[in-house]
Amino acid sequence: MQNALADEYRRLSRDTSTHQPLAYLRLRRAIRNVIQHRDIEPGQTLPSERDLSQALGLSRVTVRKAISGLVEEGLLTQRHGAGTFVAERIVKPMSRLTSFTEDLRARGLHPRSEFFERSVGEVTPEESMALNLSPGVLVVRLHRVRYAEDEPLAIERTVVPASILPDPHEVHDSLYEALEKYDCRPIRALQRLRAVLLGARQARLLHVTAGSAGLHIERRGFLEDGRVVEFTTSWYRGDIYDFVAELQTD
């Protein structure tokens, strides 16, 4: 893996089209690329900071800074006294507003969706409250199972004002990519998480046993002007996902 990483780092250093002058950002991208190309598998350990600094001609401070950013993203995990590993579980940092698709692509996984519903209809009372919409307004509804490769990870129901996203079939894998075309990608979100036991139908769709641990998540995404652009309710498999928040004192 060290040779593959060194080759990728040198390639990025020579590539003028994507050249990044800051060495720690080049190294961060190189590590991400070798993980995506499966030159290192989930659960495997990275070379030590000392080995990487010697192989790449970088300071240990630069190597440490590159790695720490990928740990914050959840792509890498660190175990005290054991080293740095490619994350086996999907670790979702709650401090960054990213899409399901972006999270999986960053880990070298192929995201896809199986849709049960892509429709337009009048807003319900619950949706009206969540989206701050008046009765009778049209909304787009998306109901789907989210996959990494062939492994189901989450069930997701999303409601978006039709005035923002008129055609539900514009959403293929990433809702945020579709919203971006209209300059309506959310810039902040409020999320509420709670632990649940997955019901029979949820468990069947997620390929787990009924009563398995899951995470129920409600998200409201906001535009810069304060409008609610997204109301999403999700059920995640508890055996695969970790949601991590960084806490600081004032």
Side-chain angles (χ1 to χ4, degrees):
M1 182 270 179
Q2 185 168 303
N3 290 338
L5 180 54
D7 290 344
E8 180 62 14
Y9 178 80
R10 294 185 185 109
R11 185 190 71 78
L12 291 174
S13 299
R14 294 191 301 267
D15 189 346
T16 57
S17 64
T18 60
H19 182 66
Q20 171 53 254
L22 298 177
Y24 82 92
L25 290 177
R26 284 203 305 275
L27 178 55
R28 189 177 296 174
R29 182 170 180 179
I31 295 172
R32 186 183 289 110
N33 287 351
V34 297
I35 292 173
Q36 290 177 344
H37 298 155
R38 296 289 183 167
D39 292 313
I40 182 170
E41 297 291 333
Q44 286 188 284
T45 183
L46 256 64
S48 68
E49 290 179 4
R50 183 180 62 183
D51 289 344
L52 285 176
S53 65
Q54 291 176 348
L56 301 174
L58 300 172
S59 71
R60 292 184 66 171
V61 172
T62 297
V63 173
R64 188 175 302 122
K65 192 171 183 179
I67 289 174
S68 66
L70 296 174
V71 170
E72 289 177 7
E73 291 179 20
L75 191 60
L76 301 176
T77 60
Q78 290 180 318
R79 302 172 200 165
H80 183 68
T84 303
F85 299 80
V86 179
E88 294 183 273
R89 293 173 62 86
I90 296 174
V91 180
K92 167 69 174 173
M94 295 179 63
S95 58
R96 300 178 66 245
L97 181 55
T98 54
S99 71
F100 179 95
T101 299
E102 290 166 339
D103 290 339
L104 293 192
R105 285 175 179 166
R107 288 158 177 78
L109 299 171
H110 173 65
R112 67 180 182 88
S113 298
E114 180 181 320
F115 283 90
F116 300 122
E117 179 183 7
R118 279 192 278 194
S119 64
V120 180
E122 286 191 9
V123 67
T124 67
E126 179 189 10
E127 294 165 350
S128 176
M129 291 184 63
L131 293 167
N132 295 331
L133 296 176
S134 302
V137 170
L138 295 180
V139 294
V140 163
R141 296 189 183 93
L142 307 169
H143 182 200
R144 53 184 168 166
V145 175
R146 311 300 301 271
Y147 288 81
E149 312 296 344
D150 294 320
E151 188 76 17
L153 301 183
I155 304 166
E156 192 174 271
R157 290 181 181 271
T158 300
V159 186
V160 178
S163 60
I164 292 175
L165 180 70
D167 183 0
H169 291 88
E170 290 187 65
V171 180
H172 302 288
D173 286 319
S174 175
L175 169 66
Y176 284 9
E177 287 180 0
L179 292 174
E180 217 158 12
K181 296 176 184 177
Y182 295 94
D183 293 324
C184 286
R185 179 178 174 133
I187 63 165
R188 67 181 182 91
L190 294 176
Q191 282 197 155
R192 182 170 65 180
L193 290 77
R194 60 186 173 91
V196 295
L197 298 179
L198 298 172
R201 183 171 184 273
Q202 295 165 340
R204 177 172 55 81
L205 292 173
L206 294 175
H207 298 181
V208 295
T209 305
S212 295
L215 290 169
H216 178 265
I217 303 171
E218 285 187 356
R219 173 191 283 191
R220 291 202 303 158
F222 296 85
L223 299 178
E224 191 171 8
D225 61 9
R227 284 180 295 162
V228 186
V229 67
E230 166 205 13
F231 176 49
T232 297
T233 305
S234 306
W235 291 263
Y236 281 81
R237 284 175 53 174
D239 63 331
I240 290 180
Y241 257 87
D242 286 332
F243 286 79
V244 178
E246 179 181 354
L247 306 178
Q248 297 180 354
T249 58
D250 293 335

